[in-house]
């Protein structure tokens, strides 16, 4: 059974930090790019950061220098944390983990999402 499970969302004040994590199983995801995406109310889902199986990364312009994506190939599943620093109110959104694609359109698998709220 394919599963992408996000955790770590919550509320924080502007300037603070949060760490999200995506647990991906089964092992088929080891060969896939895995990314974090977000969707704010009334807006389209957008790429936040993506990490390929090679370890190369791409970040959305609005988060460059503030967010860091990584991947950890554990025994039975893949973990993809997203460290978010210097959070801004405009980072408020539902954050989704997506796998096996390089953008919103091509991504094949999605998690259920986790809410991140940044207050001023």
């Amino acid at each position: 059974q394919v599963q992408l499970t996000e955790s770590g969302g919550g509320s924080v004040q502007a300037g603070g930090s949060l760490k999200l994590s995506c647990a991906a199983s089964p092992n088929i995801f080891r060969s896939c790019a895995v990314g974090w995406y977000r969707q704010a109310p009334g807006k389209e889902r957008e790429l936040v950061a993506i990490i390929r199986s090679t370890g190369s990364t791409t970040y959305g312009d609005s988060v460059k220098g503030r967010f860091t994506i990584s991947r950890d190939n554990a025994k039975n599943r893949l973990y993809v944390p997203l460290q978010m620093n210097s959070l801004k109110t405009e980072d408020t959104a539902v954050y989704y983990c997506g796998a096996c694609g390089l953008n919103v359109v091509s991504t094949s698998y999605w998690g259920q999402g986790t809410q991140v709220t940044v207050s001023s």
Side-chain angles (χ1 to χ4, degrees):
Q1 182 179 0
V2 172
Q3 281 189 323
L4 292 174
T5 306
E6 302 100 336
S7 61
S11 298
V12 65
Q13 288 192 322
S17 298
L18 278 176
K19 186 174 184 178
L20 307 182
S21 188
C22 174
S25 62
N27 291 339
I28 60 170
F29 291 121
R30 293 179 184 272
S31 62
C32 283
V34 179
W36 283 96
Y37 300 78
R38 68 187 181 187
Q39 188 165 17
K43 295 188 177 181
E44 295 185 348
R45 191 170 297 190
E46 64 175 359
L47 173 70
V48 174
I50 193 166
I51 185 164
R52 299 167 184 81
S53 58
T54 59
S56 68
T57 58
T58 300
Y59 292 91
D61 288 341
S62 63
V63 306
K64 285 179 182 176
R66 300 189 297 122
F67 291 11
T68 303
I69 190 171
S70 58
R71 62 192 286 158
D72 178 12
N73 291 316
K75 183 177 180 180
N76 295 317
R77 57 179 57 188
L78 173 68
Y79 293 95
V80 180
L82 180 71
Q83 179 66 46
M84 306 187 294
N85 298 328
S86 301
L87 283 161
K88 305 176 180 180
T89 56
E90 52 264 43
D91 294 319
T92 296
V94 178
Y95 284 69
Y96 297 91
C97 179
C100 302
L102 297 177
N103 52 51
V104 173
V105 173
S106 65
T107 293
S108 300
Y109 303 99
W110 293 99
Q112 81 284 355
T114 186
Q115 176 70 45
V116 171
T117 302
V118 184
S119 59
S120 58

